[in-house]
């Protein structure tokens, strides 16, 4: 035994616990719908089609709200 | 710019220049406006964290997690002890080791035991080593949550070089108690504690410019904040419920495990309706910068891949718009480099191929002199606007410091601050083209499918040797040299526009060598340049960590050998190994056991040692 390493020596029974007893509960991986080039293109296309229609509808909706 | 190009009709080169310029101008404008909003928030004393104030006392249980991966053991445990002494015994500390180097593994166990014995029974400091690094750092945190997460209300994630004061930790816990919808509060880490010239420049920038930028972000994002992976407090049950990371379809670098997990975890928390905040005024949160530009760029390779992987996530369904912006800005911080490089190359080609309009034109058959219209004024405005976007945030930040006499003194006084501003601006201007080339290569290599590994970071000061820097940066110099020759010969008067960029590339090798030098850093300190408050005012937690690291005794022998030769070390290792599965019995393990019994370990590889040290049965039977 290397005498210099005795600075770390301690009786076995004095070893403190490394960590508390585990209390297991699994983490579930979250669902994520990853984008593909087609889905990005599709989203942009849908936005191009729907946003102008929504903008056109704004005055109508406002009039209805006022009424 | 469009007006200038359309005089003689657009060419394909000019269209490319216009598109690239628009993207890059928008990118630097976004940084500029964040800084402007930050300055306005600072000057008007706006409350950037509109949360209920922290409660005085807390019954919550908080774990402080320190994931480590082949780190300098002395530094990790010195930092941990300094935080523990500052925070008191109210917190549980976990060293979550993913170290794959067997010598580090055993050394960590010994240091942990030494620390436990030194601090006494009061200290709840735990150590866990994972046999397999599933999911890298995110997997390491997930492993903690799955085993011990239910025991805690909050967890504070630290990096191996992070430091936090006890006061800050207690305030964060109080804020979480008082604001039950907050799932995460990020305490941005200020850079401190290193001495090389490069580190000093980074520390100065972090201390002077960081608060303005952070305030701007906090002002704009509110509860839609982001997470930077460490120096943050997290509500454990929200994290466990919503932050299990999926594997992305496909292979790395774009598929597989999510590398830059922090942005994604913040996005998931926001998607689930939890609040994510950033506190900019709390202070007491620190980390150390990379010691050299080389180390900075090595770290950037990993971050670049992680951020580019977010291209798959940024358009994913269900994320909030601010989360998408955080992800997009992370992507853009790397993609901007190749775009800038393309802009420069196309601009240079356009300059070289440019044919000025003929001096005369014809109206019918009659020659008439062309009206020459100068666009110099518009060009000057454009250049000045670009320079303003780049440098005005720095001036705003310095004004914000000068407004506070105590902060000004802490940065070396008005003179020191202004000198720091000048030299930092010069250095960052010269560094920009080097980083641009390096990032462009990273993006290209990732697009070609080259994935990076997971290497430990160099965190200690080191003066880089010339031969190493020449090996790493000769391509930058060569690119600069070739570009200088081409532009000098062919670009005419346009050459001058490229001088700052070419200077950075041509000087890359001496710039990296000299900025890595702790001696140059010391000279700057003596001249009162790049002085930061942690030096002038002192920072107890940092000073204590440095003192402990300075007094740390290295192990007298190879830690792996100690397991074989020192019964007490072996018993400790076996005690910590309990509960981990026994490795498969194969012929190689049999040979290793026999050689270990004879102490014939000279030919053992790293994998051999890992196998042997995981073999509790074999270790128990050793003489």
């Amino acid at each position: 035994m290397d005498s210099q390493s005795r600075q770390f020596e301690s009786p076995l029974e004095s070893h403190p616990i490394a960590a508390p007893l585990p209390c297991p509960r699994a983490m579930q991986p979250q669902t994520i719908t990853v984008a593909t080039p087609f889905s990005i293109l599709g989203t942009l296309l849908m936005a191009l089609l729907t946003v102008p229609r929504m903008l056109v509808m704004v005055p109508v909706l406002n009039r209805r709200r006022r009424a | 710019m469009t007006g200038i190009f359309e005089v003689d009709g657009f060419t394909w080169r000019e269209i490319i220049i216009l598109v690239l310029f628009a993207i890059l101008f928008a990118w630097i404008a976004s940084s500029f406006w964040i800084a402007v909003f930050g300055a306005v928030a600072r000057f008007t004393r706006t409350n950037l964290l509109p949360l209920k104030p922290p409660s005085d006392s807390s019954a919550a249980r908080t774990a402080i997690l320190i994931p480590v991966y082949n780190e300098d053991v002395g530094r990790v445990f010195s930092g941990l002890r300094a935080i523990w002494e500052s925070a008191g015994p109210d917190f549980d500390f976990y060293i979550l080791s993913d170290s794959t180097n067997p010598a580090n593994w055993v050394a960590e166990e010994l240091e942990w035991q030494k620390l436990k014995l030194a601090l006494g029974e009061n200290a709840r400091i735990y150590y866990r080593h994972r046999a397999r690094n599933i999911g890298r750092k995110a997997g390491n945190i997930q492993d903690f949550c799955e085993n011990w997460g239910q025991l805690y209300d909050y967890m504070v994630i630290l990096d191996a070089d992070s430091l936090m004061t006890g006061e800050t930790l207690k305030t964060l816990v109080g804020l979480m108690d008082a604001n039950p919808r907050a799932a995460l509060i990020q305490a941005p880490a200020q850079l401190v504690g290193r001495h090389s010239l490069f580190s000093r420049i980074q520390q100065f920038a972090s201390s002077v410019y960081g608060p303005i930028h952070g305030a701007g972000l906090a002002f704009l994002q509110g509860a839609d904040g982001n997470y930077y992976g460490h120096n943050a407090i997290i509500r454990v049950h929200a994290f466990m419920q919503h932050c299990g990371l999926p594997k992305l379809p496909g292979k790395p670098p774009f598929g597989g495990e999510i590398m830059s997990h922090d942005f994604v975890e913040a996005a998931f928390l926001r998607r689930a309706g939890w609040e994510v905040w950033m506190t900019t005024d709390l202070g007491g949160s620190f980390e150390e910068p990379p010691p050299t530009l080389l180390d900075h760029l090595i770290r950037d390779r990993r971050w670049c891949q992680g951020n580019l992987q977010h291209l798959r996530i940024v358009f994913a369904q269900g994320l909030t718009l601010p989360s998408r912006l955080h992800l997009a800005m992370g992507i853009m911080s790397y993609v901007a480099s190749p775009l800038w490089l393309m802009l420069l190359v196309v601009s240079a080609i356009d300059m070289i191929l440019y044919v000025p309009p003929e001096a005369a034109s014809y109206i019918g058959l009659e020659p008439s002199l062309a009206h020459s219209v100068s666009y110099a004024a518009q060009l000057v405005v454009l250049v000045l606007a670009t320079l303003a976007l780049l440098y005005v945030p720095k001036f705003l930040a310095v004004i914000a410091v000068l407004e506070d006499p105590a902060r000004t003194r802490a940065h070396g006084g008005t003179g020191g601050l202004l000198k720091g501003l000048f030299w930092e601006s010069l250095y960052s201007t010269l560094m920009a083209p080097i980083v641009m080339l390096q990032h462009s290569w990273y993006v290209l290599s990732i697009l070609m499918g080259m994935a990076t590994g997971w290497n430990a970071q160099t965190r200690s000061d080191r003066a880089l040797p010339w031969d190493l820097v020449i090996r790493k940066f000769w391509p930058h110099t060569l690119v600069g040299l070739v570009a200088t020759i081409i532009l000098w010969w062919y670009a005419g008067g346009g050459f001058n526009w490229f001088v700052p960029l070419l200077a950075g590339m041509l000087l890359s090798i001496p710039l990296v060598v000299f900025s890595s030098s702790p001696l140059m850093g010391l000279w700057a300190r003596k001249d009162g340049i790049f002085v930061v408050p942690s030096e002038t005012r002192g920072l107890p937690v940092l000073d204590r960590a440095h003192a402990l690291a300075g007094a740390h005794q290295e192990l007298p022998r190879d830690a792996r050998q100690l397991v074989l030769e020192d019964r007490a070390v072996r018993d400790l290792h076996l005690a910590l190994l309990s509960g981990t599965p026994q490795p498969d019995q194969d012929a190689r393990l049999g040979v290793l056991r026999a050689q270990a019994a004879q102490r014939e370990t000279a030919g053992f590889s790293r994998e051999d040692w890992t196998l042997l040290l995981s073999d509790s049965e074999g270790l128990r039977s050793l003489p």
Side-chain angles (χ1 to χ4, degrees):
Chain A
M1 186 187 292
D2 190 319
S3 60
Q4 283 178 293
S5 70
R6 281 180 183 278
Q7 58 181 310
F8 299 104
E9 195 173 333
S10 64
L12 182 59
E13 55 273 20
S14 76
H15 290 148
I17 55 162
L21 280 176
C23 182
R25 185 183 156 204
M27 278 172 72
Q28 298 304 322
Q30 298 298 298
T31 51
I32 188 164
T33 312
V34 175
T36 60
F38 288 112
S39 71
I40 296 167
L41 215 62
T43 310
L44 289 174
L45 205 67
M46 283 301 289
L48 277 174
L49 291 174
T50 55
V51 170
R53 186 180 152 75
M54 276 164 59
L55 292 173
V56 167
M57 290 296 287
V58 167
V60 179
L61 291 171
N62 282 346
R63 271 201 300 278
R64 272 186 204 159
R65 279 197 196 111
R66 282 196 207 105
Chain B
M1 191 175 235
T2 312
I4 298 165
F5 282 152
E6 71 185 356
V7 173
D8 51 350
F10 285 110
T11 65
W12 64 268
R13 293 187 302 274
E14 287 167 349
I15 292 168
I16 293 173
I17 290 171
L18 265 180
V19 171
L20 292 174
F21 185 81
I23 295 169
L24 291 168
F25 200 78
W27 171 238
I28 56 172
S30 68
S31 293
F32 169 83
W33 284 111
I34 288 170
V36 169
F37 276 107
V40 170
R42 288 275 169 212
F43 295 141
T44 55
R45 309 277 187 273
T46 305
N47 177 17
L48 295 169
L49 192 68
L51 291 175
K52 286 184 189 161
S55 47
D56 289 337
S57 62
S58 173
R61 292 195 68 189
T62 304
I64 295 180
L65 313 185
I66 307 176
V68 293
Y69 177 72
N70 298 332
E71 301 285 346
D72 180 331
V73 179
R75 283 166 54 89
V76 169
F77 282 82
S78 303
L80 190 161
R81 183 168 178 171
I83 299 169
W84 186 88
E85 288 174 356
S86 173
D90 292 345
F91 297 92
D92 291 8
F93 287 74
Y94 283 80
I95 301 128
L96 303 175
S97 173
D98 259 355
S99 294
T100 49
N101 183 341
N104 279 61
W105 176 13
V106 179
E108 286 162 8
E109 292 176 342
L110 294 172
E111 281 299 328
W112 170 75
Q113 188 193 36
K114 202 162 78 167
L115 185 63
K116 282 287 291 176
L117 292 172
L119 297 181
E121 285 305 308
N122 239 357
R124 292 191 302 275
I125 298 174
Y126 303 115
Y127 176 83
R128 187 277 276 125
H129 179 264
R130 278 205 306 173
R132 294 175 64 211
N133 314 128
I134 299 163
R136 306 189 191 203
K137 187 178 165 188
N140 198 356
I141 303 291
Q142 179 169 338
D143 181 82
F144 163 83
C145 288
E146 290 185 332
N147 284 300
W148 300 286
Q150 294 202 87
L151 305 179
Y152 296 97
D153 299 288
Y154 316 127
M155 57 183 178
V156 176
I157 315 287
L158 298 181
D159 224 357
D161 60 356
S162 293
L163 288 172
M164 284 181 99
T165 62
E167 194 185 341
T168 296
L169 287 168
K170 285 170 189 166
T171 308
L172 287 173
V173 170
L175 282 167
M176 294 295 268
D177 276 348
N179 299 278
R181 291 305 305 157
L184 189 152
I185 303 177
Q186 175 71 53
Q190 203 177 322
L191 300 178
V192 293
R194 294 264 61 91
H195 305 290
S196 69
L197 183 62
F198 177 80
S199 306
R200 283 190 171 282
I201 295 171
Q202 303 304 308
Q203 287 167 187
F204 177 82
S206 159
S207 182
V208 176
Y209 314 144
I212 287 282
H213 192 78
L217 274 177
F219 180 76
L220 292 170
Q221 69 194 14
D224 277 300
N226 203 0
Y227 171 40
Y228 303 145
H230 55 87
N231 292 45
I233 189 166
I234 300 175
R235 195 174 297 277
V236 177
H237 81 87
F239 187 86
M240 286 185 70
Q241 205 175 344
H242 301 292
C243 294
L245 292 178
K247 272 194 177 176
L248 298 180
K251 289 180 180 172
F254 287 102
E257 290 166 351
I258 295 175
M259 286 183 72
S260 286
H261 53 94
D262 38 15
F263 284 33
V264 181
E265 286 159 351
F268 283 168
L269 287 171
R270 287 300 298 140
R271 183 172 73 169
W274 287 93
E275 295 173 358
V276 176
W277 292 92
M278 182 162 81
T279 166
T280 51
D281 296 323
L282 196 55
S285 172
F286 311 98
E287 68 172 322
E288 295 183 339
T292 69
L293 180 57
L294 180 63
D295 297 306
H296 174 90
L297 290 172
I298 290 169
R299 186 184 67 179
D300 265 0
R301 174 62 177 84
R302 202 175 66 247
W303 285 7
C304 180
Q305 185 173 330
N307 278 279
L308 288 193
Q309 202 184 29
H310 291 166
L311 279 165
R312 306 281 305 276
I313 301 168
V314 69
F315 293 106
Q317 289 174 8
L319 301 185
T320 64
L321 181 63
S323 296
R324 293 187 201 281
L325 286 175
H326 289 307
L327 292 163
M329 287 174 84
I331 295 165
M332 197 54 198
S333 57
Y334 292 95
V335 172
S337 285
L339 295 181
W340 185 25
L341 183 60
M342 278 165 66
L343 176 66
L344 292 171
V345 170
V346 179
S347 302
I349 292 171
D350 195 57
M351 221 173 253
I352 292 165
L353 299 181
Y354 177 69
V355 182
E358 288 181 23
S361 59
Y362 289 82
I363 299 172
L365 293 172
E366 299 294 320
S368 71
L369 286 176
H371 290 284
S372 86
V373 181
S374 169
Y375 286 90
Q378 286 93 325
L379 269 175
V380 168
V381 169
L382 203 62
V383 171
L384 286 179
T386 309
L387 289 175
L389 292 182
L390 291 172
Y391 293 101
V392 164
K394 293 178 194 270
F395 284 105
L396 285 174
V398 168
I399 292 167
V401 177
L402 288 171
E403 201 195 27
D404 180 346
R407 266 189 87 199
T408 307
R409 278 195 300 279
H411 286 92
T414 308
L417 197 58
L418 294 177
K419 278 192 278 184
L421 170 70
F422 172 76
W423 288 112
E424 189 282 332
S425 301
L426 183 66
Y427 183 80
S428 59
T429 304
L430 291 174
M431 195 179 94
I434 305 170
V435 174
M436 172 195 69
L437 285 181
Q438 197 67 33
H439 282 186
S440 301
W441 165 242
Y442 290 163
V443 172
L444 183 68
S445 64
I446 291 163
L447 291 176
M448 288 192 303
M450 291 159 71
T452 183
W454 187 25
N455 300 316
Q457 291 180 42
T458 304
R459 300 186 197 267
S460 304
D461 285 326
R462 55 174 185 156
L464 294 172
W466 281 93
D467 58 333
L468 172 69
V469 178
I470 290 169
R471 272 204 311 279
K472 297 286 181 186
F473 289 91
W474 69 262
H476 307 72
T477 314
L478 186 66
V479 168
L481 202 63
V482 171
T484 304
I485 293 167
I486 292 172
L487 290 167
W488 178 258
W489 281 108
Y490 297 106
F495 175 80
N496 295 339
W497 292 101
F498 291 89
V499 167
L501 300 172
L502 297 172
M505 292 181 211
L506 292 171
L507 294 172
S508 58
I509 290 170
L511 205 63
V512 175
V513 170
F514 291 130
S515 65
S516 75
S517 161
L519 192 64
M520 296 280 283
L522 186 67
W523 286 346
R525 172 79 178 86
K526 280 183 179 167
D527 280 350
I529 307 171
F530 306 133
V531 177
V532 287
S534 60
E535 294 170 316
T536 47
R537 291 178 185 163
L539 188 62
V541 72
L542 177 69
D543 297 342
R544 179 67 178 143
H546 280 183
L548 287 165
H552 175 255
Q553 289 179 324
E554 292 295 326
L555 285 172
R557 302 202 48 189
D558 184 338
R560 301 167 304 184
Q561 290 286 355
L562 286 176
V563 176
L564 306 185
E565 295 171 9
D566 188 323
R567 184 81 208 183
V569 175
R570 195 189 314 161
D571 287 343
L572 171 69
H573 181 71
L574 284 168
L576 297 182
L577 210 54
S578 66
T580 51
Q582 177 71 19
D584 294 334
Q585 300 283 334
D586 62 5
R588 183 65 193 153
L589 188 57
V591 172
L592 292 177
R593 279 180 181 179
Q595 286 180 320
Q598 301 298 318
R599 306 294 188 265
E600 292 167 356
T601 56
F604 278 17
S605 67
R606 187 158 150 164
E607 288 71 29
D608 290 340
W609 272 111
T610 304
L611 187 59
L612 186 73
L613 293 176
S614 307
D615 174 25
S616 49
E617 278 178 23
L619 290 175
R620 263 192 205 95
S621 64
L622 279 179

